[in-house]
Amino acid sequence: MTWSLMRLILAQISIHACMTGMRMATPLLALREGYSPAAVGFLLALFALTQVFLSLPAGRYADRHGLKRPLAISVIVATLGATAAVIYPHYPMLCFAALCSGGASGAAIIALQRHVGRQAHDKVALRRVFSWLAIGPAVSNFLGPFLAGLLIDYAGGEAASDAGFRAAFVLLALLPLSAWLWVRTVQETKPEPLPADHKKGAAWDMLQNQAFRRLLLMNWALSSCWDVHTFVVPILGHERGLSASAIGSILGAFAIAAALIRLLIPLVSEHLSEWKVVMTAMICACLLFMAYPWMPNAWAMMACSVCLGLVLGSVQPMVMSMIHQITPQHRQGEALGLRMMAINGSSVLMPVLFGSIGTVVGVSALFWAVGAIVGSSSRLAWLLGKQDLPSLNAAPGQAALPEK
């Protein structure tokens, strides 16, 4: 790993930790003020909702302006949202802070992913850099809530005091500023020149490309696995009388396993093929989801969770590598925005759908249904493997995604 890549990862951790810390602190404050679970659920949905609408514009903006300008705007917006929560720590302002931190985090990650992908010059390098970059969210998912929780409990003299929440929001407002410190000296890449026959079109034109359409469907199926595991495991654990700490340990084991496999991938990236890794992961995820409801105790569930974390954690670097291979360089930010919009749209809608289905057919049937979906979708990875993805060294205009 180069020092330049390390700075980009640290910048990603800084701005994403702001969002994850806000996502933990704001619902706690809303609950303390007496708001209903429905109001808290709406507040949490705002973190993903902003990204649904901003991802495509953010991707286009990154295509035009590169890394630093989108990241600077994201830093300002995230800091503004957290600062607003410091000044007026009440529900309406918490909603505003959720919109700001969620949207800023999504826009910054798109710009960072695009920049990192443009630094790679072959498929092995793509797999390697995206594996390193994928470690960032795993770290920030721990760091943001952990630091915010410490301040909420101890900074105000008593747990969950106004002073404690304000101290947490101050720290979270400072984290995005550190992201700018990490990237301000990073060398910017020049925008890719448009091909001579380029005609401006809508982002939806990308869906006319069969490979990109298959890639998005495959990514959606795998994203649903993450959502259903996060949403349903607490319900399944509660049904079986597991303690909150046991349920938290099961989910934590999943996150740790997903991070560990991303540390391993750069070491073996030369021997991997994207479509084979993804297809194997989808088949294994199908089998694990089929077996999960049969796990008799917390230790068995944790073992299954670790295996699932290893399987699903290996996917994102491969998907990101394929996106950069099948899209033209001057539209890669747009493609990343479309992917993020689809994932966050799923994250907003799926918990509601999972809850409705689980109420009717039961939690076990929900596991089996998602397992069947991801297993049947593994054919998409096989079909992508049958197509020859273009070389990164191909001449301009030879990208697989046609211009419209």
Side-chain angles (χ1 to χ4, degrees), residues 95-182:
C95 291
F96 174 75
L99 291 170
C100 288
S101 60
S105 175
I109 287 174
I110 289 172
L112 285 163
Q113 288 173 341
R114 177 187 175 276
H115 181 84
V116 168
R118 289 170 61 83
Q119 304 304 304
H121 302 292
D122 56 58
K123 297 179 182 180
V124 174
L126 271 177
R127 292 191 288 267
R128 184 178 294 119
V129 296
F130 279 119
S131 297
W132 288 122
L133 192 66
I135 296 169
V139 174
S140 55
N141 280 331
F142 166 77
L143 190 65
F146 177 73
L147 294 177
L150 284 179
L151 291 174
I152 290 169
D153 282 343
Y154 299 109
E158 61 179 10
S161 65
D162 285 343
F165 277 104
R166 278 195 164 98
F169 293 143
V170 168
L171 173 66
L172 296 174
L174 294 175
L175 282 175
L177 297 176
S178 66
W180 178 250
L181 295 178
W182 289 117

Side-chain angles (χ1 to χ4, degrees), residues 66 246 257 393:
N393 298 319

Side-chain angles (χ1 to χ4, degrees), residues 32-159:
R32 198 205 67 173
E33 291 189 338
Y35 284 90
S36 67
V40 173
F42 175 77
L43 174 61
L44 288 172
L46 294 179
F47 285 95
L49 188 63
T50 321
Q51 298 181 33
V52 174
F53 296 102
L54 290 184
S55 292
L56 272 177
R60 293 194 186 104
Y61 194 80
D63 281 331
R64 294 195 302 270
H65 299 289
L67 172 67
K68 292 185 179 179
R69 191 180 297 184
L71 195 66
I73 294 173
S74 298
V75 166
I76 293 170
V77 172
T79 301
L80 176 64
T83 302
V86 175
I87 297 170
Y88 187 74
H90 299 288
Y91 187 79
M93 199 60 75
L94 298 182
C95 291
F96 174 75
L99 291 170
C100 288
S101 60
S105 175
I109 287 174
I110 289 172
L112 285 163
Q113 288 173 341
R114 177 187 175 276
H115 181 84
V116 168
R118 289 170 61 83
Q119 304 304 304
H121 302 292
D122 56 58
K123 297 179 182 180
V124 174
L126 271 177
R127 292 191 288 267
R128 184 178 294 119
V129 296
F130 279 119
S131 297
W132 288 122
L133 192 66
I135 296 169
V139 174
S140 55
N141 280 331
F142 166 77
L143 190 65
F146 177 73
L147 294 177
L150 284 179
L151 291 174
I152 290 169
D153 282 343
Y154 299 109
E158 61 179 10

Side-chain angles (χ1 to χ4, degrees), residues 304-391:
C304 201
S305 185
V306 168
C307 294
L308 195 60
L310 294 172
V311 165
L312 296 180
S314 67
V315 169
Q316 183 184 349
M318 305 301 153
V319 171
M320 300 302 298
S321 174
M322 286 191 281
I323 285 180
H324 278 75
Q325 292 176 55
I326 67 176
T327 55
Q329 289 192 345
H330 65 281
R331 298 190 74 180
Q332 285 175 348
E334 201 172 4
L336 292 169
L338 190 59
R339 170 188 172 269
M340 183 167 285
M341 185 185 72
I343 289 175
N344 282 284
S346 174
S347 295
V348 171
L349 296 176
M350 284 301 168
V352 178
L353 181 62
F354 292 154
S356 302
I357 295 175
T359 301
V360 175
V361 301
V363 174
S364 296
L366 185 56
F367 268 108
W368 297 330
V370 173
I373 290 172
V374 73
S376 60
S377 299
S378 62
R379 184 172 181 270
L380 295 172
W382 181 79
L383 291 172
L384 279 171
K386 300 292 286 185
Q387 297 179 235
D388 289 328
L389 298 183
S391 169

